[in-house]
Amino acid sequence: MIAWVFWLVGLLAVVDAVRHSEALWVAAERNKGFWITLMVFTGGLGAVMYVLALRPRLERVAIDDSFLDPNPWANLTSRISTLAGHLTTNDR
Amino acid sequence: MSLRLPGGDADRLVGRSKPPFDVLALRVGDDTEDPLLYPLVGEGPSLVAAEPGDGTSSRAAVAKGLAVAEAYPRRDQHLGGVSNVHIRVAVTDSRVTFACDKYEKGGGWFGLGGQGVAVAAVANVASRAAAARRRRDKTLVGHVRHSWLSMIACRRPSGLVGGDILRLGMTEAVGGNVRGLVVTVTFPKGIDGPAVASEILARAVADRLRQPVDDATADTLGALAMAAPRLDTRGPDFASVQIPGALPATNQIDGRLGQ
């Protein structure tokens, strides 16, 4: 039961970490990739460290949202279509 | 003033009577030398002291990499820069400023096994403390004035990782010889690089149209101002815009700076 709780907390923490934009992580002077990897490999322990130490820091950071991508998912789909275009071109 | 370029030959500029202008400098304490070439350190989120020409509507962005290179036709020569740090970028009415107070972080050690992890942890703490000591009272600053700006380019990486990349082209004539410089700004994912490029372009064009320019230049600038183009970054290469009428960066007041 405790293992399941730890696993769930770990999963939620990873989802929460992914949800915060990389710009916010850079402004908080922390490495997003490192922390997500740490949480994946250490499970609940990394998640507890994230929730106690890092998440409050991410929430505290205030960045000017002037240039934040208004729709990062549109950006992602445009990147995927560009990548697919490159692959198609290279296949010919 | 101690001028040093991180990532380059650290102390090569110290003691030179006519240092080449490399855009970035480490300002120590309340140093106020060469305010035309390098921004002064200030309070506030941008870490740069405001100038009268900056206006009141500056916009800020976060970047994670900054590099300066000397422009050559085939391959640019890297002069210095920083990466994987928090760089504050501000776009004002007269310039684009860059500032970073934690330009050197230390750390990076890792180990395997119990002893390895313990040794790496100690090494990281010591390395971070040494880096903090080295950068105490220093701020990495730089700016590109709109009057110097000759080219803006932007590229969105085609892969799924990596952020947008912005390039600002200019020339400098501080040491007597004219040479081209390219400032490359790497944004984290989530920052809209083409939007930053458009903002810089709009303000640079507006700044130049306030100055006396010849008719052909005025026509081109007018067309740029009307179109307000957002750079098309869908291709694999940099999308770029040339801005006519740029002046080389100098440490002489030319009547157009700081207005």
Side-chain angles (χ1 to χ4, degrees):
Chain A
M1 179 67 185
I2 292 174
W4 275 105
V5 170
F6 260 82
W7 187 86
L8 189 65
V9 169
L11 182 69
L12 290 175
V14 169
V15 169
D16 188 71
V18 170
R19 195 179 58 84
H20 285 93
S21 93
E22 198 196 348
L24 206 61
W25 283 82
V26 171
E29 289 157 7
R30 292 292 180 269
N31 189 311
K32 184 175 185 177
F34 170 80
W35 276 94
I36 290 175
T37 309
L38 187 76
M39 282 190 278
V40 167
F41 281 101
T42 61
L45 187 64
V48 169
M49 285 164 68
Y50 170 77
V51 170
L52 292 182
L54 214 64
R55 198 171 187 285
R57 188 183 175 106
L58 287 171
E59 296 296 323
R60 262 201 316 273
V61 168
I63 61 172
D64 188 335
D65 59 0
S66 309
F67 294 119
L68 284 185
D69 211 330
N71 188 353
W73 296 109
N75 182 6
L76 185 67
T77 50
S78 105
R79 280 177 183 230
I80 290 171
S81 60
T82 309
L83 189 62
H86 284 311
L87 294 175
T88 314
T89 312
N90 290 339
D91 283 348
R92 283 176 192 162
Chain B
M1 176 167 63
S2 168
L3 293 178
R4 299 193 309 167
L5 268 175
D9 300 332
D11 291 313
R12 72 192 172 89
L13 296 180
V14 177
R16 281 198 184 185
S17 58
K18 271 192 170 181
F21 171 59
D22 289 339
V23 181
L24 300 178
L26 287 177
R27 287 260 189 216
V28 184
D30 54 358
D31 146 39
T32 56
E33 203 175 323
D34 279 336
L36 289 178
L37 294 178
Y38 304 102
L40 303 182
V41 176
E43 304 294 324
S46 74
L47 299 179
V48 167
E51 289 181 355
D54 284 339
T56 53
S57 60
S58 67
R59 295 178 68 186
V62 175
K64 65 174 188 177
L66 187 60
V68 181
E70 190 169 348
Y72 285 101
R74 295 191 70 176
R75 189 189 174 126
D76 297 344
Q77 184 192 347
H78 179 74
L79 296 175
V82 288
S83 60
N84 293 319
V85 291
H86 175 204
I87 299 158
R88 295 146 201 258
V89 181
V91 184
T92 77
D93 286 347
S94 65
R95 57 188 177 153
V96 185
T97 68
F98 313 100
C100 178
D101 55 354
K102 291 184 180 166
Y103 53 87
E104 189 184 2
K105 293 195 292 190
W109 295 86
F110 70 96
L112 298 174
Q115 283 185 336
V117 170
V119 169
V122 172
N124 278 326
V125 169
S127 168
R128 285 176 197 280
R133 202 168 50 247
R134 281 195 297 273
R135 66 169 193 255
R136 192 168 59 194
D137 295 332
K138 298 190 189 97
T139 307
L140 176 72
V141 289
H143 64 197
V144 177
R145 293 187 182 277
H146 293 330
S147 57
W148 302 342
L149 202 55
S150 58
M151 182 272 298
I152 300 176
C154 189
R155 185 166 79 93
R156 180 157 281 181
S158 55
L160 298 183
V161 293
D164 295 348
I165 299 168
L166 176 73
R167 296 183 113 194
L168 305 175
M170 56 182 285
T171 55
E172 69 95 5
V174 177
N177 299 320
V178 177
R179 62 177 184 155
L181 294 176
V182 177
V183 179
T184 303
V185 186
T186 307
F187 295 109
K189 269 201 295 187
I191 296 289
D192 189 352
V196 181
S198 294
E199 183 72 23
I200 295 171
L201 179 62
R203 292 190 189 224
V205 167
D207 175 80
R208 210 151 296 172
L209 280 171
R210 283 196 292 268
Q211 317 301 334
V213 287
D214 60 60
D215 289 347
T217 305
D219 287 348
T220 312
L221 291 172
L224 279 174
M226 291 290 286
R230 181 183 159 94
L231 298 179
D232 182 2
T233 52
R234 283 173 296 183
D237 299 322
F238 277 91
S240 66
V241 175
Q242 305 289 330
I243 311 173
L247 295 175
T250 68
N251 48 7
Q252 308 295 316
I253 295 174
D254 62 11
R256 286 179 50 170
L257 303 176
Q259 290 183 355

